[in-house]
Amino acid sequence: MFIRRRRGWEMPESAVTPEALVFGRRTALKAAGLASIGLPGLARAADFPAAARNARYEPGRAITAEREATTYNNFYEFGTDKGIYRPAQKLPLSPWTVKVDGLVDRPREFSVEDLTKAMPVEERVYRLRCVEAWSMVVPWTGFPLSALLSAVGVQAGAKYVRFETAALPAVMPGLRQSWYPWPYVEGCTIEEAGNDLSFLVVGAYGKPLLAQNGGPIRFHQPWKYGFKAGKSLTRISLVAERPKSFWEAIQPQEYGFWANINPEVPHPRWSQASERVLGTGERVPTQLFNGYGEFVAGLYGNLQRERLWT
Ligand SMILES: Nc1nc2c(c(=O)[nH]1)N[C@H]1C(S)=C(S)[C@@H](COP(=O)(O)O)O[C@H]1N2
Ligand SMILES: [Mo]
């Protein structure tokens, strides 16, 4: 049976509000006039919405060549070198669900396909600055984390968001390195999560997100070092205690909880003053908060005693 699903721009308003998720998948699909079908992997690309670009977040730099951004990656589950895009193809991206739980009113497991249909999906061209001093500029497709949090209802006791990512030993050779504290976990405060820049990514370059970039769903906060951006998310939990992240567990002096980008605070082993732009080989000065200070600096006014820059 062939069912042509509507693409993003054809969706009625009712289907793109987070409220659609509150009432459950069936209602949301009915409201959108969509049949409920199990999508085989091949349908991922055909059904991917063409999302309008959000002009508010101008990258001020050329977009990195797609080939660079999809072949030079950091994803320790598949290996410690940057060329893991080949082994990463073994990660089965569909079906994929993300559990949203903890201190929420309506805990739920969402399929990435449902989220892509029901959330306010848009394109954002963001800079990504790795703590290792390389950077890229990518047109991500996704939706604000805050939209998902509104759909599940955050309870008063929730102070942090904990992100857990896939740990599949059958396809992830890196998991055999048992001295690493798998699964890869990251976190942010509830205030940071509510900032409009905090983005759940389901695509890049107008296509569904590839495994090597954290497909089918990853997080990104562009004012923080790249390691804060958990890839291939399986669980998002609202919690009362600050989560201990993967890198913090390994080396707390070098990789802290906050990890806001600051060219004036060197990593203990190298300078953070400049960065190598992927694809061009150019070196450019690193900017405070990666250039997103006007949107996020206010989050840290009362936190001057915290170690905000590692
Ligand atoms: N699960 C998981 N997420 C991860 C990583 C990882 O090793 N495992 N590496 C992080 C680091 S250090 C960076 S810089 C970015 C890199 O994203 P990219 O490969 O899409 O450029 O992913 C982050 N997310
Ligand atoms: Mo990184």
Side-chain angles (χ1 to χ4, degrees):
M1 182 170 57
F2 176 79
I3 299 172
R4 184 180 170 276
R5 299 200 323 151
R6 297 191 202 191
R7 297 173 61 105
W9 66 86
E10 300 171 287
M11 301 273 283
E13 198 57 37
S14 58
V16 293
T17 57
E19 286 72 28
L21 285 172
V22 176
F23 302 113
R25 180 164 191 264
R26 249 163 217 297
T27 323
L29 290 175
K30 243 197 237 154
L34 301 171
S36 180
I37 48 166
L39 282 177
L42 268 180
R44 278 186 87 222
D47 288 309
F48 196 69
R53 187 170 290 180
N54 184 333
R56 193 163 176 227
Y57 306 116
E58 260 303 311
R61 249 183 236 171
I63 289 176
T64 301
E66 183 176 358
R67 208 192 136 75
E68 286 292 332
T70 56
T71 57
Y72 185 95
N73 301 97
N74 191 312
F75 203 161
Y76 269 46
E77 286 84 338
F78 291 101
T80 53
D81 70 280
K82 295 292 187 282
I84 53 74
Y85 63 95
R86 262 187 270 264
Q89 303 315 309
K90 292 221 172 89
L91 185 66
L93 299 182
S94 177
W96 188 285
T97 58
V98 184
K99 190 187 284 179
V100 184
D101 66 359
L103 301 169
V104 297
D105 296 331
R106 297 171 291 275
R108 200 171 140 196
E109 195 151 342
F110 295 94
S111 82
V112 171
E113 277 136 11
D114 286 351
L115 284 176
T116 306
K117 278 184 296 206
M119 288 281 121
V121 169
E122 60 183 52
E123 184 175 75
R124 293 195 186 180
V125 186
Y126 274 172
R127 295 185 289 276
L128 185 152
R129 204 311 192 156
C130 172
V131 73
E132 299 164 330
W134 54 267
S135 69
M136 61 179 187
V137 181
V138 174
W140 305 110
T141 303
F143 53 89
L145 171 61
S146 63
L148 177 59
L149 296 186
S150 317
V152 295
V154 176
Q155 295 180 350
K159 298 276 179 282
Y160 296 92
V161 184
R162 177 185 183 275
F163 300 91
E164 188 172 312
T165 81
L168 301 168
V171 293
M172 293 174 157
L175 268 55
R176 276 181 241 139
Q177 303 187 304
S178 55
W179 55 91
Y180 285 122
W182 310 110
Y184 195 98
V185 166
E186 260 304 337
C188 69
T189 65
I190 200 77
E191 292 78 19
E192 292 174 323
N195 186 281
D196 187 55
L197 280 172
S198 296
F199 206 50
L200 283 165
V201 176
V202 294
Y205 299 92
K207 299 166 200 160
L209 194 62
L210 298 174
Q212 59 268 41
N213 291 113
I217 183 165
R218 59 108 47 97
F219 190 49
H220 189 34
Q221 291 175 311
W223 71 96
K224 290 177 178 274
Y225 290 116
F227 69 85
K228 296 295 295 177
K231 288 177 159 181
S232 306
L233 298 171
T234 53
R235 188 174 178 193
I236 299 174
S237 309
L238 281 291
V239 295
E241 306 293 331
R242 185 178 295 187
K244 164 127 345 141
S245 67
F246 179 85
W247 284 108
E248 200 182 0
I250 296 167
Q251 190 48 276
Q253 286 319 304
E254 302 191 354
Y255 310 103
F257 172 77
W258 297 97
N260 294 304
I261 295 167
N262 187 338
E264 288 176 13
V265 179
H267 182 278
R269 291 181 282 134
W270 58 82
S271 163
Q272 294 292 24
S274 68
E275 63 205 57
R276 177 173 59 87
V277 180
L278 275 199
T280 71
E282 203 188 347
R283 267 209 105 78
V284 299
T286 290
Q287 295 170 272
L288 183 61
F289 290 116
N290 206 19
Y292 295 94
E294 62 175 299
F295 306 111
V296 299
L299 289 168
Y300 305 102
N302 301 322
L303 295 168
Q304 296 312 311
R305 284 162 58 222
E306 295 276 339
R307 213 155 50 98
L308 292 172
W309 315 108
T310 36

